[in-house]
PDB file of all heavy atoms in Angstrom:
ATOM      1  N   PHE F   1      48.906 -80.657 -98.772  1.00 94.00           N
ATOM      2  CA  PHE F   1      48.981 -82.109 -98.854  1.00 94.00           C
ATOM      3  C   PHE F   1      47.942 -82.611 -99.844  1.00 94.00           C
ATOM      4  O   PHE F   1      46.793 -82.163 -99.825  1.00 94.00           O
ATOM      5  CB  PHE F   1      48.715 -82.745 -97.487  1.00 94.00           C
ATOM      6  CG  PHE F   1      49.852 -82.586 -96.522  1.00 94.00           C
ATOM      7  CD1 PHE F   1      49.986 -81.438 -95.771  1.00 94.00           C
ATOM      8  CD2 PHE F   1      50.787 -83.592 -96.370  1.00 94.00           C
ATOM      9  CE1 PHE F   1      51.034 -81.290 -94.884  1.00 94.00           C
ATOM     10  CE2 PHE F   1      51.850 -83.458 -95.484  1.00 94.00           C
ATOM     11  CZ  PHE F   1      51.969 -82.299 -94.738  1.00 94.00           C
ATOM     12  N   GLU F   2      48.343 -83.529-100.706  1.00 93.00           N
ATOM     13  CA  GLU F   2      47.440 -84.217-101.616  1.00 93.00           C
ATOM     14  C   GLU F   2      47.616 -85.710-101.382  1.00 93.00           C
ATOM     15  O   GLU F   2      48.745 -86.212-101.402  1.00 93.00           O
ATOM     16  CB  GLU F   2      47.746 -83.864-103.073  1.00 93.00           C
ATOM     17  CG  GLU F   2      47.474 -82.408-103.407  1.00 93.00           C
ATOM     18  CD  GLU F   2      47.856 -82.036-104.826  1.00 93.00           C
ATOM     19  OE1 GLU F   2      48.408 -82.884-105.565  1.00 93.00           O
ATOM     20  OE2 GLU F   2      47.619 -80.866-105.203  1.00 93.00           O
ATOM     21  N   ASP F   3      46.526 -86.396-101.149  1.00 90.00           N
ATOM     22  CA  ASP F   3      46.568 -87.836-100.847  1.00 90.00           C
ATOM     23  C   ASP F   3      47.499 -88.133 -99.676  1.00 90.00           C
ATOM     24  O   ASP F   3      48.221 -89.138 -99.678  1.00 90.00           O
ATOM     25  CB  ASP F   3      46.974 -88.649-102.081  1.00 90.00           C
ATOM     26  CG  ASP F   3      45.980 -88.510-103.214  1.00 90.00           C
ATOM     27  OD1 ASP F   3      44.758 -88.454-102.925  1.00 90.00           O
ATOM     28  OD2 ASP F   3      46.404 -88.452-104.383  1.00 90.00           O
ATOM     29  N   GLY F   4      47.530 -87.230 -98.691  1.00 87.00           N
ATOM     30  CA  GLY F   4      48.329 -87.441 -97.488  1.00 87.00           C
ATOM     31  C   GLY F   4      49.814 -87.175 -97.641  1.00 87.00           C
ATOM     32  O   GLY F   4      50.581 -87.382 -96.711  1.00 87.00           O
ATOM     33  N   LYS F   5      50.242 -86.709 -98.811  1.00 92.00           N
ATOM     34  CA  LYS F   5      51.666 -86.445 -99.048  1.00 92.00           C
ATOM     35  C   LYS F   5      51.865 -84.964 -99.355  1.00 92.00           C
ATOM     36  O   LYS F   5      51.030 -84.344-100.019  1.00 92.00           O
ATOM     37  CB  LYS F   5      52.164 -87.269-100.233  1.00 92.00           C
ATOM     38  CG  LYS F   5      52.090 -88.753-100.011  1.00 92.00           C
ATOM     39  CD  LYS F   5      52.535 -89.511-101.251  1.00 92.00           C
ATOM     40  CE  LYS F   5      52.330 -90.996-101.040  1.00 92.00           C
ATOM     41  NZ  LYS F   5      52.524 -91.747-102.268  1.00 92.00           N
ATOM     42  N   PRO F   6      52.998 -84.382 -98.910  1.00 94.00           N
ATOM     43  CA  PRO F   6      53.260 -82.983 -99.237  1.00 94.00           C
ATOM     44  C   PRO F   6      53.338 -82.797-100.753  1.00 94.00           C
ATOM     45  O   PRO F   6      54.059 -83.529-101.437  1.00 94.00           O
ATOM     46  CB  PRO F   6      54.619 -82.690 -98.599  1.00 94.00           C
ATOM     47  CG  PRO F   6      54.848 -83.784 -97.618  1.00 94.00           C
ATOM     48  CD  PRO F   6      54.064 -84.964 -98.100  1.00 94.00           C
ATOM     49  N   ALA F   7      52.575 -81.844-101.277  1.00 95.00           N
ATOM     50  CA  ALA F   7      52.565 -81.589-102.716  1.00 95.00           C
ATOM     51  C   ALA F   7      53.195 -80.246-103.056  1.00 95.00           C
ATOM     52  O   ALA F   7      53.855 -80.110-104.077  1.00 95.00           O
ATOM     53  CB  ALA F   7      51.140 -81.656-103.245  1.00 95.00           C
ATOM     54  N   TYR F   8      52.961 -79.252-102.192  1.00 96.00           N
ATOM     55  CA  TYR F   8      53.498 -77.910-102.416  1.00 96.00           C
ATOM     56  C   TYR F   8      53.904 -77.300-101.087  1.00 96.00           C
ATOM     57  O   TYR F   8      53.281 -77.554-100.065  1.00 96.00           O
ATOM     58  CB  TYR F   8      52.449 -76.985-103.059  1.00 96.00           C
ATOM     59  CG  TYR F   8      52.000 -77.427-104.423  1.00 96.00           C
ATOM     60  CD1 TYR F   8      50.862 -78.208-104.559  1.00 96.00           C
ATOM     61  CD2 TYR F   8      52.704 -77.068-105.564  1.00 96.00           C
ATOM     62  CE1 TYR F   8      50.439 -78.635-105.809  1.00 96.00           C
ATOM     63  CE2 TYR F   8      52.286 -77.488-106.815  1.00 96.00           C
ATOM     64  CZ  TYR F   8      51.155 -78.268-106.932  1.00 96.00           C
ATOM     65  OH  TYR F   8      50.744 -78.688-108.173  1.00 96.00           O
ATOM     66  N   VAL F   9      54.945 -76.479-101.135  1.00 96.00           N
ATOM     67  CA  VAL F   9      55.374 -75.690 -99.983  1.00 96.00           C
ATOM     68  C   VAL F   9      55.372 -74.240-100.433  1.00 96.00           C
ATOM     69  O   VAL F   9      55.882 -73.911-101.500  1.00 96.00           O
ATOM     70  CB  VAL F   9      56.786 -76.108 -99.512  1.00 96.00           C
ATOM     71  CG1 VAL F   9      57.340 -75.129 -98.512  1.00 96.00           C
ATOM     72  CG2 VAL F   9      56.767 -77.502 -98.936  1.00 96.00           C
ATOM     73  N   CYS F  10      54.774 -73.379 -99.609  1.00 94.00           N
ATOM     74  CA  CYS F  10      54.710 -71.962 -99.961  1.00 94.00           C
ATOM     75  C   CYS F  10      55.270 -71.127 -98.820  1.00 94.00           C
ATOM     76  O   CYS F  10      54.753 -71.137 -97.710  1.00 94.00           O
ATOM     77  CB  CYS F  10      53.270 -71.565-100.264  1.00 94.00           C
ATOM     78  SG  CYS F  10      53.148 -69.865-100.859  1.00 94.00           S
ATOM     79  N   GLU F  11      56.331 -70.430 -99.124  1.00 91.00           N
ATOM     80  CA  GLU F  11      56.936 -69.485 -98.183  1.00 91.00           C
ATOM     81  C   GLU F  11      56.312 -68.114 -98.446  1.00 91.00           C
ATOM     82  O   GLU F  11      56.054 -67.766 -99.601  1.00 91.00           O
ATOM     83  CB  GLU F  11      58.445 -69.438 -98.437  1.00 91.00           C
ATOM     84  CG  GLU F  11      59.212 -68.543 -97.524  1.00 91.00           C
ATOM     85  CD  GLU F  11      60.705 -68.544 -97.853  1.00 91.00           C
ATOM     86  OE1 GLU F  11      61.094 -68.896 -98.976  1.00 91.00           O
ATOM     87  OE2 GLU F  11      61.458 -68.179 -96.961  1.00 91.00           O
ATOM     88  N   ALA F  12      56.040 -67.350 -97.404  1.00 86.00           N
ATOM     89  CA  ALA F  12      55.406 -66.041 -97.568  1.00 86.00           C
ATOM     90  C   ALA F  12      56.168 -65.193 -98.587  1.00 86.00           C
ATOM     91  O   ALA F  12      57.382 -65.054 -98.503  1.00 86.00           O
ATOM     92  CB  ALA F  12      55.334 -65.318 -96.229  1.00 86.00           C
ATOM     93  N   GLY F  13      55.439 -64.662 -99.554  1.00 85.00           N
ATOM     94  CA  GLY F  13      56.029 -63.772-100.546  1.00 85.00           C
ATOM     95  C   GLY F  13      56.832 -64.453-101.635  1.00 85.00           C
ATOM     96  O   GLY F  13      57.511 -63.787-102.409  1.00 85.00           O
ATOM     97  N   ALA F  14      56.783 -65.764-101.698  1.00 88.00           N
ATOM     98  CA  ALA F  14      57.551 -66.498-102.718  1.00 88.00           C
ATOM     99  C   ALA F  14      56.624 -67.455-103.454  1.00 88.00           C
ATOM    100  O   ALA F  14      55.584 -67.850-102.930  1.00 88.00           O
ATOM    101  CB  ALA F  14      58.691 -67.273-102.058  1.00 88.00           C
ATOM    102  N   PRO F  15      56.996 -67.845-104.673  1.00 90.00           N
ATOM    103  CA  PRO F  15      56.170 -68.813-105.390  1.00 90.00           C
ATOM    104  C   PRO F  15      56.204 -70.183-104.711  1.00 90.00           C
ATOM    105  O   PRO F  15      57.160 -70.516-104.008  1.00 90.00           O
ATOM    106  CB  PRO F  15      56.802 -68.893-106.779  1.00 90.00           C
ATOM    107  CG  PRO F  15      58.038 -68.076-106.744  1.00 90.00           C
ATOM    108  CD  PRO F  15      58.123 -67.371-105.436  1.00 90.00           C
ATOM    109  N   SER F  16      55.151 -70.952-104.909  1.00 94.00           N
ATOM    110  CA  SER F  16      55.094 -72.301-104.335  1.00 94.00           C
ATOM    111  C   SER F  16      56.176 -73.192-104.927  1.00 94.00           C
ATOM    112  O   SER F  16      56.570 -73.036-106.080  1.00 94.00           O
ATOM    113  CB  SER F  16      53.732 -72.939-104.618  1.00 94.00           C
ATOM    114  OG  SER F  16      52.720 -72.247-103.944  1.00 94.00           O
ATOM    115  N   ILE F  17      56.632 -74.131-104.115  1.00 95.00           N
ATOM    116  CA  ILE F  17      57.607 -75.135-104.562  1.00 95.00           C
ATOM    117  C   ILE F  17      56.866 -76.465-104.646  1.00 95.00           C
ATOM    118  O   ILE F  17      56.293 -76.924-103.664  1.00 95.00           O
ATOM    119  CB  ILE F  17      58.784 -75.255-103.575  1.00 95.00           C
ATOM    120  CG1 ILE F  17      59.497 -73.907-103.415  1.00 95.00           C
ATOM    121  CG2 ILE F  17      59.758 -76.339-104.033  1.00 95.00           C
ATOM    122  CD1 ILE F  17      60.512 -73.884-102.279  1.00 95.00           C
ATOM    123  N   ALA F  18      56.862 -77.070-105.819  1.00 95.00           N
ATOM    124  CA  ALA F  18      56.185 -78.353-106.016  1.00 95.00           C
ATOM    125  C   ALA F  18      57.048 -79.489-105.479  1.00 95.00           C
ATOM    126  O   ALA F  18      58.275 -79.378-105.395  1.00 95.00           O
ATOM    127  CB  ALA F  18      55.903 -78.577-107.498  1.00 95.00           C
ATOM    128  N   ALA F  19      56.389 -80.590-105.119  1.00 95.00           N
ATOM    129  CA  ALA F  19      57.088 -81.750-104.545  1.00 95.00           C
ATOM    130  C   ALA F  19      58.233 -82.221-105.442  1.00 95.00           C
ATOM    131  O   ALA F  19      59.274 -82.651-104.950  1.00 95.00           O
ATOM    132  CB  ALA F  19      56.106 -82.881-104.290  1.00 95.00           C
ATOM    133  N   ASP F  20      58.062 -82.126-106.758  1.00 95.00           N
ATOM    134  CA  ASP F  20      59.117 -82.550-107.688  1.00 95.00           C
ATOM    135  C   ASP F  20      60.391 -81.728-107.529  1.00 95.00           C
ATOM    136  O   ASP F  20      61.472 -82.173-107.914  1.00 95.00           O
ATOM    137  CB  ASP F  20      58.636 -82.439-109.143  1.00 95.00           C
ATOM    138  CG  ASP F  20      57.518 -83.405-109.466  1.00 95.00           C
ATOM    139  OD1 ASP F  20      57.330 -84.392-108.709  1.00 95.00           O
ATOM    140  OD2 ASP F  20      56.820 -83.187-110.477  1.00 95.00           O
ATOM    141  N   ASP F  21      60.268 -80.520-106.977  1.00 95.00           N
ATOM    142  CA  ASP F  21      61.429 -79.634-106.817  1.00 95.00           C
ATOM    143  C   ASP F  21      61.964 -79.590-105.390  1.00 95.00           C
ATOM    144  O   ASP F  21      62.855 -78.804-105.084  1.00 95.00           O
ATOM    145  CB  ASP F  21      61.057 -78.205-107.247  1.00 95.00           C
ATOM    146  CG  ASP F  21      60.810 -78.106-108.738  1.00 95.00           C
ATOM    147  OD1 ASP F  21      61.499 -78.812-109.503  1.00 95.00           O
ATOM    148  OD2 ASP F  21      59.923 -77.323-109.133  1.00 95.00           O
ATOM    149  N   PHE F  22      61.428 -80.423-104.490  1.00 95.00           N
ATOM    150  CA  PHE F  22      61.870 -80.391-103.096  1.00 95.00           C
ATOM    151  C   PHE F  22      63.373 -80.637-102.971  1.00 95.00           C
ATOM    152  O   PHE F  22      64.047 -79.951-102.215  1.00 95.00           O
ATOM    153  CB  PHE F  22      61.110 -81.405-102.242  1.00 95.00           C
ATOM    154  CG  PHE F  22      59.705 -80.988-101.852  1.00 95.00           C
ATOM    155  CD1 PHE F  22      59.131 -79.819-102.330  1.00 95.00           C
ATOM    156  CD2 PHE F  22      58.965 -81.772-101.009  1.00 95.00           C
ATOM    157  CE1 PHE F  22      57.845 -79.441-101.978  1.00 95.00           C
ATOM    158  CE2 PHE F  22      57.674 -81.411-100.638  1.00 95.00           C
ATOM    159  CZ  PHE F  22      57.115 -80.239-101.120  1.00 95.00           C
ATOM    160  N   ASP F  23      63.903 -81.604-103.691  1.00 95.00           N
ATOM    161  CA  ASP F  23      65.345 -81.881-103.603  1.00 95.00           C
ATOM    162  C   ASP F  23      66.162 -80.706-104.139  1.00 95.00           C
ATOM    163  O   ASP F  23      67.112 -80.256-103.494  1.00 95.00           O
ATOM    164  CB  ASP F  23      65.712 -83.152-104.360  1.00 95.00           C
ATOM    165  CG  ASP F  23      65.294 -84.414-103.635  1.00 95.00           C
ATOM    166  OD1 ASP F  23      65.060 -84.350-102.401  1.00 95.00           O
ATOM    167  OD2 ASP F  23      65.184 -85.458-104.290  1.00 95.00           O
ATOM    168  N   ARG F  24      65.805 -80.204-105.302  1.00 94.00           N
ATOM    169  CA  ARG F  24      66.547 -79.110-105.927  1.00 94.00           C
ATOM    170  C   ARG F  24      66.513 -77.854-105.057  1.00 94.00           C
ATOM    171  O   ARG F  24      67.512 -77.138-104.936  1.00 94.00           O
ATOM    172  CB  ARG F  24      65.971 -78.799-107.312  1.00 94.00           C
ATOM    173  CG  ARG F  24      66.731 -77.739-108.083  1.00 94.00           C
ATOM    174  CD  ARG F  24      66.130 -77.473-109.458  1.00 94.00           C
ATOM    175  NE  ARG F  24      64.755 -77.002-109.416  1.00 94.00           N
ATOM    176  CZ  ARG F  24      64.383 -75.752-109.106  1.00 94.00           C
ATOM    177  NH1 ARG F  24      65.294 -74.855-108.783  1.00 94.00           N
ATOM    178  NH2 ARG F  24      63.116 -75.398-109.100  1.00 94.00           N
ATOM    179  N   CYS F  25      65.385 -77.590-104.413  1.00 94.00           N
ATOM    180  CA  CYS F  25      65.232 -76.393-103.575  1.00 94.00           C
ATOM    181  C   CYS F  25      65.588 -76.653-102.112  1.00 94.00           C
ATOM    182  O   CYS F  25      65.419 -75.773-101.264  1.00 94.00           O
ATOM    183  CB  CYS F  25      63.803 -75.867-103.669  1.00 94.00           C
ATOM    184  SG  CYS F  25      63.392 -75.260-105.315  1.00 94.00           S
ATOM    185  N   GLN F  26      66.082 -77.833-101.837  1.00 95.00           N
ATOM    186  CA  GLN F  26      66.522 -78.223-100.495  1.00 95.00           C
ATOM    187  C   GLN F  26      65.416 -77.977 -99.456  1.00 95.00           C
ATOM    188  O   GLN F  26      65.637 -77.313 -98.442  1.00 95.00           O
ATOM    189  CB  GLN F  26      67.800 -77.499-100.107  1.00 95.00           C
ATOM    190  CG  GLN F  26      68.975 -77.825-101.003  1.00 95.00           C
ATOM    191  CD  GLN F  26      70.197 -77.005-100.678  1.00 95.00           C
ATOM    192  OE1 GLN F  26      70.108 -75.831-100.354  1.00 95.00           O
ATOM    193  NE2 GLN F  26      71.361 -77.637-100.770  1.00 95.00           N
ATOM    194  N   VAL F  27      64.222 -78.528 -99.729  1.00 95.00           N
ATOM    195  CA  VAL F  27      63.094 -78.415 -98.806  1.00 95.00           C
ATOM    196  C   VAL F  27      63.177 -79.541 -97.793  1.00 95.00           C
ATOM    197  O   VAL F  27      63.269 -80.710 -98.156  1.00 95.00           O
ATOM    198  CB  VAL F  27      61.747 -78.487 -99.564  1.00 95.00           C
ATOM    199  CG1 VAL F  27      60.581 -78.534 -98.580  1.00 95.00           C
ATOM    200  CG2 VAL F  27      61.616 -77.320-100.525  1.00 95.00           C
ATOM    201  N   ARG F  28      63.173 -79.160 -96.509  1.00 94.00           N
ATOM    202  CA  ARG F  28      63.167 -80.155 -95.434  1.00 94.00           C
ATOM    203  C   ARG F  28      62.119 -79.736 -94.423  1.00 94.00           C
ATOM    204  O   ARG F  28      62.255 -78.712 -93.750  1.00 94.00           O
ATOM    205  CB  ARG F  28      64.539 -80.244 -94.772  1.00 94.00           C
ATOM    206  CG  ARG F  28      64.631 -81.327 -93.696  1.00 94.00           C
ATOM    207  CD  ARG F  28      66.039 -81.467 -93.151  1.00 94.00           C
ATOM    208  NE  ARG F  28      66.554 -80.260 -92.536  1.00 94.00           N
ATOM    209  CZ  ARG F  28      66.424 -79.957 -91.245  1.00 94.00           C
ATOM    210  NH1 ARG F  28      65.812 -80.776 -90.422  1.00 94.00           N
ATOM    211  NH2 ARG F  28      66.936 -78.833 -90.766  1.00 94.00           N
ATOM    212  N   LEU F  29      61.029 -80.522 -94.349  1.00 94.00           N
ATOM    213  CA  LEU F  29      59.995 -80.244 -93.361  1.00 94.00           C
ATOM    214  C   LEU F  29      60.499 -80.717 -92.005  1.00 94.00           C
ATOM    215  O   LEU F  29      60.963 -81.842 -91.872  1.00 94.00           O
ATOM    216  CB  LEU F  29      58.697 -80.957 -93.726  1.00 94.00           C
ATOM    217  CG  LEU F  29      58.070 -80.538 -95.055  1.00 94.00           C
ATOM    218  CD1 LEU F  29      56.805 -81.339 -95.315  1.00 94.00           C
ATOM    219  CD2 LEU F  29      57.783 -79.054 -95.083  1.00 94.00           C
TER     220      LEU F  29
END
C-alpha cells in the first residue's frame, strides 16, 4: 500500500502486478 491505496500485488513466485495493471490482470482483493 502507498498512501493507503493498493500499489502492488505480489503472488509467490511471480512478478509484482502494479495498480495500473489490476484491471488487465483481473486483480480482485
